[in-house]
Amino acid sequence: MPFDRYNRNIDYLRISLTDACNLRCVYCMPEQMTFRPRDELLSDGELRRLIGLFGAVGFRKIRFTGGEPTLRSSLVDLVRHATQTPGIEAVGLTTNGVLLDKLAAPLREAGLRSVNISLDTLDPEKFRRITRWGKLDAVLAGLDAAAQAGLRVKLNAVVSRGTNDREDVVALARYTLDQPWQVRFIEQMPFGNNAEFQKRSMVDEAELRDVLTAAYGPLELVNNGRLDGEARLYRIAGAPGCLGFISPVTKPFCADCNRLRLTADGVLRLCLLRDNEVDLRPLLRGGAGDDEITVAIRQAVFEKPWGHGLEQHLIPATRGMSEIGG
Ligand code: SAM
Ligand code: SF4
């Protein structure tokens, strides 16, 4: 099993399949975003090879993300490959849901069990403003298809002050009253040259819980506060679903971090919010054997930094969220 120098068991790999996206969420990327040329992205063959090596090293969970992972035409095949890889016990997907309508059933058939769908508001006009050109109906159709296909659903909402920090949060939380879903609220994180906007409009967990308590009454802590992934869970009294709070800014969960990230261009990112990286692409394309790549993976795990430096005002500078995958 892979352990880092702080004795954390690192067994979860998040793989970005592309840096491109069919939306332009204001907190994530500029409208005029340029994406990497195709030949800089790992090929399907390179991804399959790495997934096998990570499984052999002791990684147990893989999540596909992006950019927008559903833009990659081989997504279903890659999910099937990952679910059949020895050692990999769970495969997840994080998507904006726009293309999920048609993909949910084939993904389920390929072995996917759960999906995280990003949805910041149920107001169509506001959704268009946040995503710059997205259509809410497409995401709602994707959400419906995911539930119909039998996928476990988690909704992720990034909350921005003055945009979706009041009635939108309350409306999203209402899903948990009749669905067994997790609705999770994420503190906005600062990246690169968008950092000032992101910091200014971040809404913290404590404030959101007050908003939700005012609407639904006291929230019950679930699992005695033990984290589910990165989320602390609460429940509205009697609700089948849960509310989750992912609070990397005000309640960092670095001590429990178990993940590495692989960017679409083949770089291992050792912490979401630090720029430490290990580039695997030169190895993959330079003829390195499996042993050599395995050593690089183990070394990267060992060198994973303890945690982020937001409190010391250290903001990641080299890549934005869409180039890492969240
Ligand atoms: N396109 C897919 C999606 O939106 O779900 C996957 C990639 S996206 C980068 C992954 C997650 O990161 C989404 O839930 C998105 O809302 C979140 N995200 C993007 N920028 C963020 C930021 N600055 N702070 C916190 N979360 C952010
Ligand atoms: Fe695209 Fe996801 Fe970023 Fe929105 S959050 S722009 S959907 S990558």
Side-chain angles (χ1 to χ4, degrees):
M1 285 206 291
F3 284 89
D4 71 1
R5 71 173 78 215
Y6 305 103
N7 218 27
R8 292 175 296 190
N9 183 199
I10 311 301
D11 61 1
Y12 176 12
L13 180 68
R14 300 170 69 106
I15 301 178
S16 170
L17 294 180
T18 173
D19 58 334
C21 191
N22 44 4
L23 300 180
R24 294 288 184 280
C25 303
V26 291
Y27 48 74
C28 182
M29 62 165 95
E31 187 161 14
Q32 306 303 330
M33 185 75 178
T34 42
F35 300 115
R36 288 176 195 279
R38 186 72 190 82
D39 64 340
E40 285 187 17
L41 307 189
L42 295 190
S43 67
D44 290 351
E46 289 166 335
L47 283 168
R48 286 166 189 272
R49 182 176 179 203
L50 282 182
I51 290 169
L53 292 177
F54 273 92
V57 160
F59 277 65
R60 284 190 284 222
K61 179 169 177 188
I62 283 182
R63 170 171 301 282
F64 292 111
T65 175
E68 177 45 43
T70 57
L71 293 182
R72 185 134 181 168
S73 56
S74 53
L75 173 65
V76 172
D77 289 339
L78 288 169
V79 165
R80 184 173 290 109
H81 175 77
T83 58
Q84 292 173 355
T85 296
I88 303 300
E89 295 165 8
V91 177
L93 174 72
T94 298
T95 171
N96 60 29
V98 169
L99 300 176
L100 203 54
D101 184 13
K102 301 240 167 356
L103 277 169
L107 283 166
R108 178 71 176 81
E109 185 275 324
L112 193 76
R113 293 287 173 271
S114 65
V115 65
N116 292 4
I117 300 174
S118 302
L119 181 56
D120 300 334
T121 177
L122 293 173
D123 174 334
E125 169 55 21
K126 208 179 276 187
F127 182 82
R128 197 189 52 74
R129 258 187 289 137
I130 294 173
T131 60
R132 290 205 179 91
W133 57 57
K135 291 195 171 61
L136 178 65
D137 280 353
V139 181
L140 296 182
L143 176 55
D144 210 36
Q148 290 293 326
L151 292 167
R152 263 194 321 275
V153 172
K154 292 180 184 173
L155 293 182
N156 286 338
V158 173
V159 184
S160 290
R161 185 167 305 289
T163 303
N164 63 340
D165 55 333
R166 290 293 182 269
E167 62 270 25
D168 305 86
V169 164
V170 171
L172 286 164
R174 196 166 296 126
Y175 272 129
T176 68
L177 295 179
D178 47 31
Q179 300 289 350
W181 303 344
Q182 264 187 36
V183 175
R184 314 187 312 169
F185 301 104
I186 305 176
E187 287 180 350
Q188 196 166 273
M189 290 172 266
F191 287 87
N193 54 15
N194 206 11
E196 282 316 309
F197 160 78
Q198 286 152 336
K199 278 198 285 189
R200 224 179 22 248
S201 54
M202 194 275 286
V203 182
D204 67 34
E205 170 182 336
E207 182 176 335
L208 286 181
R209 276 197 279 118
D210 285 347
V211 170
L212 291 164
T213 301
Y216 294 109
L219 305 180
E220 299 165 358
L221 190 62
V222 173
N223 290 339
N224 285 324
R226 210 165 357 98
L227 292 183
D228 178 65
E230 62 276 69
R232 200 174 313 281
L233 300 182
Y234 290 80
R235 195 187 298 281
I236 299 170
C242 287
L243 301 169
F245 296 89
I246 302 180
S247 313
V249 181
T250 63
K251 291 188 179 167
F253 35 83
C254 306
D256 291 312
C257 186
N258 63 345
R259 59 200 64 185
L260 288 190
R261 294 171 169 85
L262 179 67
T263 67
D265 55 321
V267 163
L268 275 181
R269 179 101 180 172
L270 308 187
C271 168
L272 174 61
L273 292 163
R274 283 191 189 265
D275 288 328
N276 311 48
E277 295 182 342
V278 173
D279 195 351
L280 295 182
R281 202 177 56 182
L283 292 176
L284 286 164
R285 298 197 176 167
D290 288 354
D291 288 353
E292 199 180 336
I293 297 177
T294 300
V295 168
I297 293 171
R298 287 191 183 283
Q299 187 64 27
V301 166
F302 187 72
E303 284 170 10
K304 183 175 162 65
W306 167 252
H308 67 64
L310 293 185
E311 271 179 20
Q312 295 78 43
H313 308 290
L314 290 170
I315 309 289
T318 56
R319 291 173 191 263
M321 192 66 144
S322 66
E323 298 165 285
I324 306 170

